[in-house]
Amino acid sequence: MSNCYVIILAAGKGTRMKSKLYKVLHKIAGKSMVEHVLTQVEEILPQKIITVVGYGADAIKMQLGERSSYVLQKEQLGTGHAVMQARTLLEKKYGETLVISGDTPLLTARTLKNLCKYHVKNHASLTVLTAKVDDPTGYGRIIRNHLGEIKKIIEQKDATQKEAYVQEINTGIYVFDNELLFTALSKLNTNNAQGEYYLTDIIEIFKNSGHSVLAFQISSFEETLGINDRLALAKANSLMRERINKFHMMNGVTLLDSASTYIEADVKIDSDTTIEGNVNLKGQSKIGSNVFIGSGSEIIDSILEDNTKVIRSVIEKSILKKGSNAGPFAHLRAQSKLEKNAHVGNFVEVKAATLKEGVKAGHLSYVGDAKIGREVNLGAGVIFVNYDGKNKFKSQIDDYAFIGSNSNIIAPIHIGENAIIATGSTINQDVPKDALALGRARQIVKKGYAKRYNHYHKDD
Ligand code: UD1
Ligand code: MG
């Protein structure tokens, strides 16, 4: 639409959530409800988006940033009162205004576009998006006249028993002629069960002034699910998960047990990747093509390039370059990087370390604050001792070095190219290129001494 404005209502506290967190900041698939709404609204390319904030205003502003303008609703006197707050920014503007609740995170841009198209095509002054539902509990009911035209919206708390049976509900999404909207808002009152300025009363005000009001019924009710409590939150999460998983499967990703794979909204996955059940992919993660992610893995804000493999591991804010692999039971913490074909195996923890091409750390190691050169072998149980109780220190191991099992590498330290560290060493001095370093006690063998302890030969 050419002159289109949007008002997102997000000032309510969300009492029914029973939460310290403001309602619209609760997350669905890793993204707050209000951000989901904003992302869809942006797709209709409106001239201006205004978010009405009140409870949690600063937190909402911080999250949405400059993607929206904001008006403050100091007291939460109802949805009509919330829209009134946008008066100074919109009142005299020619065009249409879409009003949408911040608690309908499943709504799609496609539906919004269809709603706007319907509104314009039918020269309506106000179009309400409605839906038919099995259980209308909690929603405003759409009351139609004998001609089937929308007459009014009645809130559940104000409904007669007969009205309460109506199964067509108000989704809380409307398109208005902008100028008529602000004229009509002045006529709202608080004569209702909740003593609030209901935006829904505006239907009758428009009709009484002779303006055309239409209802546009959406076929998929699920899109318009309004989240007022934790039950609806769980329902929305599960519907969103289905939607996201379907999208990836249609793009060529194999999900072996889609029902238990949880992929957040912003995660990207290329085709021919296989993901087992019980996997969580979170944040801004990017998964390449032909990747395998095994059951029990969690990938957070990480990049897995093509042909990588992760088995039962946790990968946070890290990068796996092409052909590298982690697990089973590896933990990559922030700023870790496995370069081409590098491997970390069982019970290996990596933190802020780069493992260059072909590095192997197969078993029971801690690799922290380190740069490990090409083809370096870290034996079982190698520990980078990077912390003295006060400060963290860095280690560097050059290409082709071999670090024997159960060695302690005490940082800060530099081990040169091709160097060998004998197994069981505690190394606290730099080791030059091509050197062998031993940092362990020499073995002593005392023949016959074992007998002194009599531990086998009780009768001797
Ligand atoms: C509202 C509708 C109801 C509809 C339902 C759809 C009214 C009176 N009722 O009810 O007909 O079926 O949505 O989900 O409009 N808000 C403010 N300021 C306020 C009050 C609310 O910004 O003073 C915001 C809330 O943050 C929320 C949205 O408006 O995002 C809707 O408010 P909510 O309390 O959830 O209304 P419902 O009871 O769901
Ligand atoms: Mg609601």
Side-chain angles (χ1 to χ4, degrees):
M1 279 195 301
S2 48
N3 284 307
C4 176
Y5 306 95
V6 176
I7 301 174
I8 301 176
L9 306 184
K13 186 173 179 217
T15 315
R16 289 164 280 181
M17 294 297 284
K18 309 234 162 79
S19 174
K20 287 196 180 81
L21 185 67
Y22 309 109
K23 177 165 77 173
V24 297
L25 291 178
H26 278 265
K27 288 186 175 174
I28 309 284
K31 218 184 208 182
S32 71
M33 291 191 215
V34 69
E35 197 185 342
H36 277 290
V37 171
L38 178 64
T39 304
Q40 297 304 314
V41 155
E42 282 169 339
E43 279 193 40
I44 64 168
L45 305 174
Q47 291 207 348
K48 201 175 188 61
I49 300 173
I50 298 164
T51 305
V52 183
V53 290
Y55 279 101
D58 290 341
I60 293 173
K61 282 187 195 172
M62 205 154 82
Q63 196 161 109
L64 304 183
E66 290 180 2
R67 293 165 69 186
S68 173
S69 304
Y70 302 94
V71 290
L72 183 68
Q73 186 193 21
K74 283 198 194 111
E75 267 184 297
Q76 280 57 56
L77 304 179
T79 46
H81 183 258
V83 177
M84 285 176 205
Q85 311 310 307
R87 185 184 288 282
T88 48
L89 293 180
L90 290 185
E91 189 172 23
K92 295 274 183 289
K93 297 213 188 285
Y94 169 79
E96 276 80 35
T97 295
L98 174 77
V99 174
I100 181 167
S101 294
D103 67 351
T104 52
L106 292 161
L107 197 82
T108 63
R110 201 167 142 252
T111 297
L112 293 178
K113 282 178 192 162
N114 288 340
L115 171 68
C116 292
K117 244 191 241 162
Y118 181 86
H119 175 85
V120 171
K121 199 173 134 208
N122 292 289
H123 308 288
S125 299
L126 159 54
T127 306
V128 186
L129 185 68
T130 73
K132 273 256 166 74
V133 297
D134 292 335
D135 178 10
T137 309
Y139 290 96
R141 313 296 204 273
I142 303 291
I143 309 300
R144 292 182 180 259
N145 65 19
H146 63 288
L147 297 170
E149 296 163 344
I150 180 168
K151 193 172 139 206
K152 61 177 177 178
I153 297 174
I154 193 94
E155 289 306 296
Q156 168 144 336
K157 287 184 180 154
D158 301 283
T160 62
Q161 210 171 26
K162 195 174 153 218
E163 287 167 336
Y165 282 129
V166 172
Q167 284 178 303
E168 187 182 10
I169 58 105
N170 168 29
T171 63
I173 296 149
Y174 323 78
V175 185
F176 292 93
D177 172 289
N178 184 64
E179 287 154 295
L180 294 179
L181 166 65
F182 285 97
T183 312
L185 280 173
S186 326
K187 298 181 185 160
L188 285 183
N189 61 48
T190 55
N191 300 333
N192 53 57
Q194 300 185 77
E196 289 183 354
Y197 293 98
Y198 287 169
L199 182 60
T200 43
D201 286 348
I202 215 161
I203 279 80
E204 282 177 286
I205 298 174
F206 264 62
K207 293 211 81 157
N208 291 340
S209 314
H211 303 303
S212 77
V213 179
L214 297 178
F216 178 71
Q217 204 183 89
I218 186 181
S219 50
S220 135
F221 157 67
E222 287 170 350
E223 264 196 41
T224 63
L225 187 68
I227 315 303
N228 295 323
D229 57 29
R230 307 274 182 160
L231 290 179
L233 185 72
K235 173 99 180 135
N237 257 309
S238 126
L239 289 168
M240 187 65 91
R241 183 183 58 201
E242 272 173 35
R243 187 190 285 178
I244 291 171
N245 289 3
K246 190 170 163 196
F247 168 83
H248 291 297
M249 289 189 275
M250 295 310 284
N251 277 347
V253 177
T254 296
L255 301 184
L256 292 174
D257 180 19
S258 166
S260 70
T261 302
Y262 193 89
I263 304 172
E264 289 188 351
D266 290 339
V267 173
K268 307 225 166 7
I269 314 174
D270 289 340
S271 66
D272 286 325
T273 279
T274 299
I275 300 170
E276 290 188 333
N278 279 317
V279 165
N280 287 308
L281 306 181
K282 296 182 172 176
Q284 304 295 316
S285 295
K286 273 195 190 138
I287 316 294
S289 180
N290 204 29
V291 171
F292 178 85
I293 305 176
S295 176
S297 297
E298 184 167 46
I299 317 288
I300 307 149
D301 293 323
S302 294
I303 298 172
L304 272 54
E305 288 190 356
D306 298 350
N307 304 318
T308 51
K309 195 170 178 178
V310 173
I311 303 174
R312 287 189 189 276
S313 292
V314 176
I315 315 284
E316 299 167 77
K317 297 192 171 99
S318 292
I319 302 175
L320 269 70
K321 304 287 280 182
K322 285 191 176 118
S324 60
N325 69 84
F329 307 110
H331 183 188
L332 267 59
R333 292 165 52 204
Q335 284 136 43
S336 295
K337 190 169 171 188
L338 301 188
E339 294 199 350
K340 200 170 156 198
N341 299 333
H343 161 70
V344 293
N346 313 269
F347 310 107
V348 174
E349 177 180 340
V350 181
K351 190 218 72 174
T354 296
L355 279 62
K356 292 238 174 193
E357 188 173 338
V359 169
K360 305 260 175 304
H363 336 266
L364 303 153
S365 279
Y366 172 62
V367 187
D369 300 311
K371 276 191 187 146
I372 315 292
R374 288 165 72 98
E375 307 289 339
V376 166
N377 188 87
L378 301 178
V382 169
I383 303 296
F384 284 75
V385 184
N386 62 336
Y387 185 49
D388 65 2
K390 279 189 188 142
N391 297 301
K392 298 267 166 71
F393 299 96
K394 293 192 164 71
S395 303
Q396 181 175 333
I397 301 197
D398 291 343
D399 298 350
Y400 310 111
F402 183 95
I403 314 297
S405 293
N406 204 29
S407 294
N408 297 309
I409 309 296
I410 302 181
I413 202 151
H414 180 192
I415 293 173
E417 200 175 319
N418 279 324
I420 296 178
I421 306 298
T423 190
S425 294
T426 292
I427 300 293
N428 60 0
Q429 290 166 37
D430 287 355
V431 178
K433 188 173 178 229
D434 297 321
L436 165 68
L438 298 101
R440 65 190 189 205
R442 195 175 278 274
Q443 182 173 330
I444 300 167
V445 176
K446 297 196 173 180
K447 286 190 176 159
Y449 262 52
K451 284 193 171 181
R452 287 193 180 185
Y453 295 96
N454 281 339
H455 64 299
Y456 286 136
H457 310 284
K458 290 216 169 78
D459 302 330
D460 281 8

